[in-house]
Amino acid sequence: MSASVSNHPLHVACIMDGNGRWARRRGLPRTDGHTAGEEALAEVVRSAAARQVGWLTAFGFSTENWVRPRTEVRHILSLHRKLFSRTEEMNRNNARTRWIGRPFSDKGARTPVLVQKAITKAIADTSGNTGLSVTIAFDYGSRAELVRASRLAMSQGVVTPSSIQANLYDPEMPPVDLLVRTSGEARISNFMLWQIKGAHIYFTERPWPDFNRQEFDQAIASLTGSPA
Ligand code: FPP
């Protein structure tokens, strides 16, 4: 069954919250919650590919997340390298990797070189795939993206919605149809403020590591009947 809204392939975006709480409830370190969160994302990628979703965007690491304890940040970075190295799986699912975040050479950008390399390689190794586009937002913040896009548009002498769109980190990314946030928080947290303009929002109490195929299907089903 293919998932689409008004004839364009569906774009689902996820704010993957609750890894820490998931771990705490089990008496585990927070890092185990993130490890389980990376596995949950891999399962959601498989589910999205099976449902013929067009775009899946996940908030992997925000511009605000750098203040977390060093060991936690290191662990999350290593999980990103793991995620970006799932090339065989991506190819099996005909899925291509994309990335949004502060461009590596921009002032203030913080993506470490090893993660930069993993991102660049994942994009190149999956670029021939024609199905699902999986975008990871890493070192990403929507305000930074919009300030940059506005500055670039101004320097080009035209500030319109389409000139801002053309200067976003990924101008080809279509608007988000469905935004999912897990773990009971009903907030947006500086995530794709431009792209979610008309999105349906699905909040669930489940923490991200428990967000499975059934939950994903339920989130998609919640779109039915919501206005465009
Ligand atoms: C929120 O959990 C999650 C994040 C910090 C970002 C998402 C990270 C992952 C899903 C881990 C690995 C994922 C990738 C993409 C490699 P939290 O720590 O804020 O949870 P809490 O609010 O319960 O403390």
Side-chain angles (χ1 to χ4, degrees):
M1 176 188 168
S2 92
S4 64
V5 174
S6 13
N7 296 326
H8 71 264
L10 194 71
H11 183 179
V12 180
C14 300
I15 301 176
M16 308 180 288
D17 198 9
N19 298 342
R21 276 162 284 176
W22 180 92
R24 197 176 56 230
R25 275 180 219 134
R26 285 166 176 72
L28 298 169
R30 291 177 59 77
T31 45
D32 284 9
H34 295 311
T35 303
E38 193 273 339
E39 298 282 350
L41 178 56
E43 171 69 3
V44 165
V45 169
R46 290 188 288 269
S47 310
R51 293 290 302 259
Q52 290 174 268
V53 165
W55 291 71
L56 176 74
T57 302
F59 205 173
F61 198 80
S62 75
T63 48
E64 288 82 22
N65 284 153
W66 292 108
V67 300
R68 290 187 177 215
R70 231 153 57 135
T71 49
E72 185 177 347
V73 169
R74 259 209 300 266
H75 187 74
I76 296 176
L77 297 191
S78 77
L79 288 172
H80 276 81
R81 289 172 61 202
K82 178 178 179 198
L83 179 75
F84 286 119
S85 70
R86 288 180 183 260
T87 308
E88 239 174 68
E89 203 171 321
M90 291 292 280
N91 288 340
R92 224 179 302 128
N93 285 298
N94 192 23
R96 55 188 296 189
T97 301
R98 301 172 84 98
W99 160 73
I100 51 172
R102 290 185 288 193
F104 304 149
S105 57
D106 272 19
K107 197 166 159 255
R110 292 191 61 176
T111 302
V113 173
L114 282 177
V115 179
Q116 291 182 21
K117 285 188 176 155
I119 291 172
T120 307
K121 184 164 174 12
I123 292 172
D125 289 351
T126 62
S127 64
N129 295 330
T130 54
L132 175 69
S133 288
V134 180
T135 305
I136 307 301
F138 183 92
D139 193 29
Y140 176 85
S142 189
R143 285 188 162 197
E145 177 180 35
L146 290 174
V147 167
R148 178 177 177 275
S150 312
R151 282 211 182 106
L152 288 169
M154 263 188 327
S155 72
Q156 293 153 3
V158 192
V159 183
T160 60
S162 51
S163 74
I164 301 273
Q165 172 70 34
N167 284 294
L168 296 176
Y169 293 146
D170 184 353
E172 286 173 18
M173 179 187 277
V176 174
D177 301 296
L178 172 65
L179 174 67
V180 172
R181 182 170 187 145
T182 54
S183 213
E185 307 279 346
R187 292 182 286 117
I188 303 299
S189 302
N190 199 19
F191 188 48
M192 298 212 290
L193 302 176
W194 181 274
Q195 297 88 339
I196 63 167
K197 175 179 170 277
H200 174 74
I201 306 186
Y202 179 84
F203 295 116
T204 170
E205 292 296 322
R206 272 190 188 224
W208 178 255
D210 289 339
F211 191 82
N212 54 21
R213 196 173 278 251
Q214 288 73 30
E215 273 277 331
F216 185 73
D217 283 349
Q218 219 167 298
I220 290 183
S222 76
L223 265 176
T224 318
S226 68

